[in-house]
């Protein structure tokens, strides 16, 4: 229990002075001392003790926005040191090891109220979770509440995250608790659940947290069967306004997806019922959801339920005074809401299996509770032979794995670059196999397609292009190129002699002639026709052809 409570109330009353013991006022000495002790304790509770909040969330689940909204609900008159701490935490330095912030809860009250300390690991990595117990003050487990953040845009991972966080909470509480502290926390949680009374619809303020509780009813089926730590737990599902958008992305619109979201709500409520936890949906389009969440967290932290065990009258009066002071400052006169799909609010102690079944028929909370219990045992390393149906199997059958579908499109797998030598070798092989890599092939193709007197393989005895290019490859200066072409021209002209219409090649065919020679040849034919004399030897090839 709280060290403030155990400091004074458990002491036996001190003896009165002799003058008061024997005086006229001796008959009222007992009530006087009770009043003095109650007033002293009330003075302590005016400031209230420092409380801690542990927020458990994976990355990109809306935790930063949730914290900003919880702080936005606070008074604008915040202390400068606290404001600097929050700004420093949100400027990119959070998430390295363990995040820490403070939430001002004074709300402009003149009484001194320490701010709420908030601790949050960046993720569920075991090395980060080890820092939580080291960061919290010693012997502060009874002054701590836990918030588990789930993301409605990632519904396929809700169950796996719940298994991770709830298993860690049990382990963490068992390792950091003192002797008898776990049993005391369990008793306090059970008392809260059994004493819970739903506020009236006309109630605007709460002067007593558990007024009119009367005779306690036994716990209902499936209630507080899974919580081994006794810590108050609140499950917060962020981005509830986007649940229908997710249904459209996976191709489930209308009633089909609405049935599955209702099934998710029923499963979450069944699990929260087993842990005595509360369930809240938050949405950026519903700012009231954050205000209600903040109010409920303060109510759970600062309001103590009546003790289940009998105690002395003096202690009972002091505890009653403590509850009155806390509940008057942090009341929660709000009724549960399970009809608004994006603003669900289920306080701890309100729900039951009967209310869960009302949401949609055909749901079996007993099966869900058993399956989740089997999953907890398997997650903690239990015997696989004794395991029955697992909650993960039921969840995968109802909720498509959205993250697995979107992973190929958004995944950035590391690519191993090809070595430079391998790349160059591969390019060389491609170039060697390319038939068009030699530029001389284009000239050969152009020469083969020439039409006219220069066509054919045995045309004018001009230097071939291939031969000229081959000899040009060894020359480096322009003057040498000119001399080479001139030498080739003189060699060809001396070998064939002057071109004439009657000259033939060694093969007996008429060689091709340039345009000037053709012009002179035809002019000579025309002149001979005019004079009437012909030269038989002028056209020997033509006469032979006839």
């Amino acid at each position: 229990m709280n060290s403030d409570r155990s400091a004074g109330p458990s002491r036996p009353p001190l003896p009165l002075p002799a003058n008061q013991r024997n005086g006229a006022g001796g008959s009222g000495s007992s009530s006087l001392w009770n009043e003095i002790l109650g007033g002293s304790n009330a003075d302590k509770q005016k400031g209230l003790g420092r409380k801690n909040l542990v927020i458990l969330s994976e990355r990109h689940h809306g935790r930063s926005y949730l914290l900003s909204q919880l702080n936005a609900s606070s008074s604008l008159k915040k202390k400068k040191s606290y404001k600097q701490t929050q700004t420093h935490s949100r400027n990119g330095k959070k998430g390295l090891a363990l995040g820490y912030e403070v939430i001002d809860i004074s709300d402009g009250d003149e009484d001194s109220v320490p701010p709420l300390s908030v601790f949050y690991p960046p993720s569920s990595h075991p090395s980060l979770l080890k820092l939580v117990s080291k960061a919290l003050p010693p012997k502060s487990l009874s002054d701590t509440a836990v918030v588990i953040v789930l993301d409605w845009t990632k519904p396929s991972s809700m169950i796996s995250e719940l298994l991770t966080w709830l298993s860690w909470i049990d382990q963490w509480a068992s390792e950091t608790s003192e002797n008898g502290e776990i049993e005391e926390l369990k008793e306090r949680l059970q008392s809260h659940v059994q004493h819970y009374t739903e506020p009236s619809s006309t109630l605007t303020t709460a002067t007593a947290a558990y007024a009119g509780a009367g005779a306690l009813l036994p716990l209902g089926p499936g209630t507080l069967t899974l919580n081994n730590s006794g810590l108050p737990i609140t499950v917060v599902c962020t981005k509830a306004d986007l649940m229908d958008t997710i249904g459209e992305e996976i191709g489930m619109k209308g009633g089909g997806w609405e049935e599955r979201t209702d099934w998710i709500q029923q499963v979450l409520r069944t699990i929260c019922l087993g842990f005595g936890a509360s369930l809240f949906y938050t949405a950026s389009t519903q700012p009231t959801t954050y205000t209600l969440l903040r109010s409920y967290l303060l109510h759970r932290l600062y309001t103590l339920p009546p003790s289940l065990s009998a105690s002395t009258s003096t202690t009972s009066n002091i505890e009653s005074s403590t509850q009155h002071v806390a509940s008057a400052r942090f009341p929660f006169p709000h009724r549960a809401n399970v009809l608004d799909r994006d603003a669900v609010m289920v306080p701890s102690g309100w729900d039951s299996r009967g209310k869960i079944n009302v949401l949609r028929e055909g749901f079996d909370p007993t099966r869900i509770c058993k399956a989740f219990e089997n999953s907890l045992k398997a997650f903690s390393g239990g015997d696989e032979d004794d395991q029955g149906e697992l909650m993960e199997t039921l969840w995968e059958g109802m909720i498509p794995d959205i993250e697995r579908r979107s992973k190929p499109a958004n995944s950035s797998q590391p690519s191993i670059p090809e070595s430079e030598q391998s790349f160059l070798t591969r390019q060389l092989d491609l170039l060697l196999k390319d038939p068009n890599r030699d530029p001389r092939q284009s000239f050969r193709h152009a020469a083969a397609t020439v039409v006219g007197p220069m066509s054919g393989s045995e045309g004018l005895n001009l230097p071939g292009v291939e031969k000229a290019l081959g000899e040009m490859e060894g020359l480096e200066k322009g003057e040498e190129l000119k001399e080479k072409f001139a030498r080739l021209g003189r060699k060809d002209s001396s070998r064939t002699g002057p071109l004439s219409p009657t000259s033939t090649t060694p093969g007996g065919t008429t060689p091709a002639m340039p345009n000037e020679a053709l012009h002179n040849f035809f002019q000579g034919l025309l002149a001979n026709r005019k004079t009437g004399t012909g030269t038989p030897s002028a056209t020997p090839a033509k006469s032979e052809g006839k």
Side-chain angles (χ1 to χ4, degrees):
M1 296 292 291
N2 196 334
S3 59
D4 293 339
R5 293 182 57 214
S6 61
S10 60
R11 296 178 185 174
L14 297 176
L16 291 173
N19 58 350
Q20 294 185 10
R21 190 166 53 241
N22 299 328
S27 60
S29 60
S30 178
S31 60
L32 177 62
W33 277 105
N34 290 341
E35 183 179 353
I36 293 175
L37 291 175
S40 176
N41 190 71
D43 291 338
K44 292 181 181 179
Q45 293 300 327
K46 275 187 177 181
L48 302 177
R50 183 141 193 164
K51 304 296 181 179
N52 307 301
L53 186 65
V54 178
I55 298 181
L56 304 176
S57 171
E58 297 290 355
R59 301 180 187 273
H60 311 298
H61 277 22
R63 175 180 51 210
S64 299
Y65 186 77
L66 176 64
L67 284 171
S68 65
Q69 291 301 309
L70 294 178
N71 271 313
S73 302
S74 304
S75 173
L76 297 178
K77 298 179 180 180
K78 296 183 179 180
K79 294 183 178 181
K80 185 177 180 181
S81 60
Y82 297 149
K83 188 173 182 181
Q84 288 177 349
T85 302
Q86 296 166 10
T87 305
H88 177 76
S89 176
R90 286 204 181 97
N91 285 339
K93 295 188 178 182
K94 68 172 184 176
L96 297 180
L98 183 68
Y100 172 76
E101 291 195 20
V102 291
I103 298 178
D104 187 9
I105 59 175
S106 62
D107 292 334
D109 199 325
E110 59 182 6
D111 294 334
S112 174
V113 181
L116 179 64
S117 299
V118 182
F119 303 86
Y120 53 95
S123 67
S124 60
H125 195 278
S127 61
L128 300 176
L129 295 178
K130 292 180 181 179
L131 301 175
V132 176
S133 58
K134 299 182 181 299
L136 284 170
K139 302 179 181 180
S140 61
L141 195 63
S142 59
D143 297 325
T144 303
V146 180
V147 173
I148 298 177
V149 180
L150 304 178
D151 190 352
W152 253 114
T153 61
K154 304 175 180 65
S156 56
S157 62
M158 284 183 173
I159 283 298
S160 60
E161 292 177 13
L162 274 177
L163 288 171
T164 301
W165 295 126
L166 293 174
S167 300
W168 177 81
I169 291 173
D170 288 343
Q171 180 183 1
W172 166 57
S174 62
E175 293 176 353
T176 58
S177 62
E178 297 181 348
N179 294 333
E181 192 173 12
I182 294 293
E183 288 71 17
E184 191 175 353
L185 290 175
K186 287 183 179 180
E187 180 182 344
R188 184 194 295 183
L189 181 59
Q190 181 179 346
S191 177
H192 170 81
V193 173
Q194 288 184 291
H195 284 94
Y196 176 83
T197 302
E198 187 173 13
S200 173
S201 58
T202 59
L203 186 63
T204 56
T205 59
T207 57
Y210 305 95
L216 296 180
L217 297 176
L219 295 174
T223 305
L224 282 180
T225 57
L226 301 175
N227 196 327
N228 297 322
S229 64
L231 289 171
I233 301 173
T234 301
V235 178
V236 179
C237 299
T238 61
K239 308 175 188 177
D241 52 335
L242 301 177
M243 65 172 68
D244 291 334
T245 305
I246 297 301
E248 295 178 359
E249 290 180 1
I250 62 178
M252 292 185 180
K253 297 182 180 179
W257 179 244
E258 185 175 348
E259 283 187 19
R260 296 173 189 255
T261 56
D262 289 343
W263 183 83
I264 291 177
Q265 182 190 143
Q266 289 177 305
V267 171
L268 295 179
R269 287 170 59 184
T270 301
I271 297 173
C272 289
L273 182 65
F275 280 86
S278 53
L279 177 65
F280 279 75
Y281 284 11
T282 60
S284 58
T285 57
Q286 299 278 357
T288 309
T289 57
Y290 299 98
T291 305
L292 293 176
L293 175 61
R294 179 180 181 274
S295 178
Y296 182 78
L297 292 175
L298 297 179
H299 175 73
R300 289 301 308 275
L301 281 169
Y302 289 97
T303 305
L304 299 177
S307 176
L308 293 177
S309 60
S311 58
T312 62
S313 59
T314 302
T315 305
S316 299
N317 292 336
I318 295 174
E319 287 184 352
S320 177
S321 176
T322 300
Q323 296 163 15
H324 177 79
V325 172
S327 61
R329 172 165 290 184
F330 301 109
F332 189 73
H334 304 284
R335 299 169 64 87
N337 180 14
V338 295
L339 299 180
D340 296 333
R341 298 174 63 240
D342 57 348
V344 172
M345 182 185 67
V346 182
S348 174
W350 176 86
D351 216 350
S352 65
R353 286 189 175 181
K355 295 177 180 178
I356 294 174
N357 287 329
V358 169
L359 182 62
R360 190 172 291 275
E361 297 180 356
F363 183 79
D364 188 1
T366 304
R367 180 186 179 188
I368 296 297
C369 186
K370 183 62 177 177
F372 192 80
E373 188 175 358
N374 294 335
S375 296
L376 281 175
K377 292 179 181 178
F379 191 86
S380 302
D383 189 2
E384 298 182 358
D385 297 335
D386 298 336
Q387 295 173 6
E389 188 177 31
L390 299 179
M391 189 63 227
E392 298 97 313
T393 305
L394 297 177
W395 194 269
E396 291 174 359
M398 288 291 294
I399 308 303
D401 194 345
I402 301 175
E403 296 181 3
R404 185 179 299 175
R405 289 188 177 188
S406 60
K407 187 175 181 180
N410 300 327
S411 62
S412 56
Q413 296 292 338
S415 58
I416 301 176
E418 186 180 5
S419 63
E420 182 179 357
Q421 191 64 30
S422 176
F423 172 78
L424 295 176
T425 303
R426 183 166 52 85
Q427 294 300 321
L428 178 60
D429 294 339
L430 293 177
L431 291 175
L432 293 176
K433 294 178 182 179
D434 187 7
N436 299 323
R437 70 180 185 87
D438 190 355
R440 291 175 292 184
Q441 295 292 334
S442 58
F443 291 99
R444 294 192 184 99
H445 179 71
T449 56
V450 173
V451 178
M454 297 183 66
S455 63
S457 59
E458 298 182 2
L460 294 174
N461 291 327
L462 297 176
V465 175
E466 183 178 359
K467 180 180 179 182
L469 289 175
E471 296 184 2
M472 286 167 57
E473 290 177 357
L475 302 178
E476 297 180 358
K477 296 181 181 180
E479 295 296 333
E480 295 180 354
L481 288 175
K482 293 181 180 179
E483 293 178 1
K484 188 66 177 177
F485 279 118
R487 186 168 59 255
L488 290 174
R490 290 192 299 270
K491 181 178 179 180
D492 291 338
S493 59
S494 61
R495 182 181 60 187
T496 56
L499 292 176
S500 63
T502 57
S503 62
T504 60
T505 61
T509 59
T510 305
M513 294 175 288
N515 293 338
E516 185 177 357
L518 289 174
H519 176 73
N520 296 333
F521 174 73
F522 285 110
Q523 289 295 332
L525 289 178
L526 291 175
N528 293 335
R529 176 174 290 183
K530 289 179 181 181
T531 56
T533 59
T535 308
S537 61
T539 56
K542 188 174 180 180
S543 60
E544 292 178 0
K546 293 182 180 180

